[in-house]
Amino acid sequence: MINLLKIEFYKLKKFKLGYIAVIFMFVVGYMYGYKIGTEFFETNDNTAVVFSNTVCDTSLVFIIAIVTALFIGKGFSNRTICNEIKLGYSRFHVLFSKMTSACILAALLHFTYIISTVLAFSIVRGFDASVLSPENALWLLTVLIQMTAIISGVILISFTTKKLSESIALSAICAAVCCNILRNYTDAKIFTMSPFCFVLDNNVENLVFSGISALVTMVVFLTIAIFTFRKAEIK
């Protein structure tokens, strides 16, 4: 298991598209933060307000889904996953190692977006230490758990299709529908508490319910993925 994780982290460091995605998220976040500080500035705006606008923003999750699906899917296209199984690694460990590296990549991308937005706003309007609160830290942690649940969906798609192009396409479509389209057209409680709608405030009750919902979703997705992958024929 440790060897698989070392391999995954090495591949993550060599994943060139990951660096491009980080730069992209930084640029988009910086431009957004700069606009909030200049064109869209309101008298009550501060660093904490900017943080609250970006930490729960799911508009770029489909990009994160595409990048992580590509990273995972390459393991099937270049037969790395097949070779790992032939070397005697269990399918559960193979899937878990992929899940771990993909979640780290997804968290890094979303965190980069948040930091760059806050940074740009702070350069224009100054930094407000009110953003550094335990409530906001718990909020960020809950959102990262929700992101993990979404990535478990990408894992399910990738390990079910076992094809790079299909996993990218389906992951992008699912993320766009669930995290972008539905968010714009529904405010039903069952959706706003789901991992596809990042929790909208740092209210403790909402954080707890959203975190539990994300954990349940993640367990369901991974259980199905493991069951499907164990039954799959690997040549």
Side-chain angles (χ1 to χ4, degrees):
M1 182 62 185
I2 300 299
N3 288 336
L4 281 175
L5 288 174
K6 288 180 179 179
I7 292 170
E8 288 303 314
F9 293 151
Y10 176 79
K11 287 190 286 189
L12 196 56
K13 289 191 294 184
K14 296 295 183 179
F15 186 50
K16 294 180 180 179
L17 183 61
Y19 293 97
I20 296 173
V22 168
I23 295 172
F24 173 80
M25 298 296 278
F26 183 89
V27 171
V28 171
Y30 193 92
M31 291 173 61
Y32 181 44
Y34 183 81
K35 281 196 171 186
I36 295 176
T38 53
E39 298 177 29
F40 307 141
F41 181 73
E42 297 180 4
T43 54
N44 62 338
D45 281 347
N46 57 29
T47 310
V49 172
V50 175
F51 172 83
S52 67
N53 287 338
T54 52
V55 70
C56 63
D57 187 0
T58 59
S59 58
L60 296 176
V61 170
F62 78 99
I63 297 291
I64 297 176
I66 291 173
V67 175
T68 52
L70 178 58
F71 177 73
I72 298 165
K74 285 182 67 177
F76 288 102
S77 64
N78 60 20
R79 299 190 59 79
T80 302
I81 291 176
C82 300
N83 292 333
E84 288 171 347
I85 293 173
K86 290 178 180 178
L87 287 172
Y89 293 107
S90 73
R91 299 192 184 203
F92 172 79
H93 287 165
V94 171
L95 188 146
F96 182 79
S97 63
K98 280 290 182 185
M99 175 72 180
T100 302
S101 56
C103 286
I104 291 173
L105 176 58
L108 175 62
L109 292 176
H110 190 59
F111 193 68
T112 298
Y113 174 61
I114 297 170
I115 291 297
S116 60
T117 305
V118 171
L119 174 64
F121 179 85
S122 299
I123 290 174
V124 176
R125 294 292 175 178
F127 180 77
D128 180 3
S130 63
V131 69
L132 304 175
S133 67
E135 294 81 7
N136 284 342
L138 184 59
W139 189 1
L140 176 60
L141 176 61
T142 304
V143 167
L144 293 180
I145 294 173
Q146 291 179 299
M147 180 68 78
T148 300
I150 292 174
I151 298 305
S152 67
V154 176
I155 286 284
L156 173 58
I157 292 171
S158 300
F159 277 78
T160 299
T161 62
K162 298 186 291 296
K163 293 182 179 179
L164 178 60
S165 58
E166 291 182 13
S167 64
I168 293 174
L170 290 174
S171 297
I173 292 171
C174 290
V177 170
C178 295
C179 300
N180 294 73
I181 297 175
L182 287 180
R183 179 163 180 165
N184 293 330
Y185 288 98
T186 181
D187 56 357
K189 193 75 171 179
I190 191 172
F191 175 73
T192 57
M193 289 297 173
S194 76
F196 306 109
C197 178
F198 291 164
V199 60
L200 300 174
D201 55 50
N202 58 9
N203 178 276
V204 175
E205 183 178 351
N206 290 340
L207 295 179
V208 170
F209 279 114
S210 296
I212 293 174
S213 171
L215 290 173
V216 171
T217 302
M218 179 176 61
V219 169
V220 171
F221 282 166
L222 291 180
T223 300
I224 297 173
I226 292 169
F227 178 79
T228 303
F229 188 45
R230 280 180 173 174
K231 296 293 183 180
E233 182 180 358
I234 302 296
K235 298 180 180 180

